[in-house]
Amino acid sequence: SPLDNVDRGQEPSVAGAPCECCSTGAASPPVLYRVAHTLLRHFFRLRKVLQRYSRCLYQLNSHLANNWDLVEALESFETAWESANRFLVDPAHRHLAMSAYRIVTSIR
């Protein structure tokens, strides 16, 4: 499974995952892979920040804005989550992203 390495702290592998929007089962286009990989990268960044704070909770300020690294990690994860939700979950946006990718790659 692509998420087998998550519990070991390693990034999951999603390369060559089947494309859900076509019936051929072909590998996902790089544009969808990039969106998924970006989400995972920001998730692991947020996870590292939370793990660091879990070792010494007294360093965590009760005012979220005073924890710049946590705020930055949360904001970047939120942005990546919204993009992934838009382009990986919503079939209409996923189709548009794949169509745009095909047009760009067909230009030589």
Side-chain angles (χ1 to χ4, degrees), residues 29-96:
V31 66
L32 298 181
Y33 173 79
R34 176 126 177 134
V35 171
H37 188 21
T38 299
L39 175 63
L40 291 173
R41 190 177 72 245
H42 288 285
F43 168 75
F44 281 104
R45 180 174 169 225
L46 175 60
R47 184 177 176 188
K48 284 181 182 181
V49 170
L50 292 173
Q51 285 174 338
R52 189 173 60 242
Y53 279 119
S54 74
R55 288 191 290 268
C56 45
L57 285 176
Y58 70 91
Q59 290 182 352
L60 187 62
N61 193 303
S62 60
H63 298 285
L64 181 60
N66 293 333
N67 304 298
W68 65 269
D69 55 344
L70 180 57
V71 170
E72 191 175 288
L74 284 167
E75 286 176 344
S76 64
F77 178 71
E78 179 185 24
T79 301
W81 178 272
E82 290 170 350
S83 293
N85 187 50
R86 185 178 311 114
F87 293 110
L88 299 177
V89 177
D90 182 11
H93 282 103
R94 183 174 55 236
H95 179 71
L96 289 173

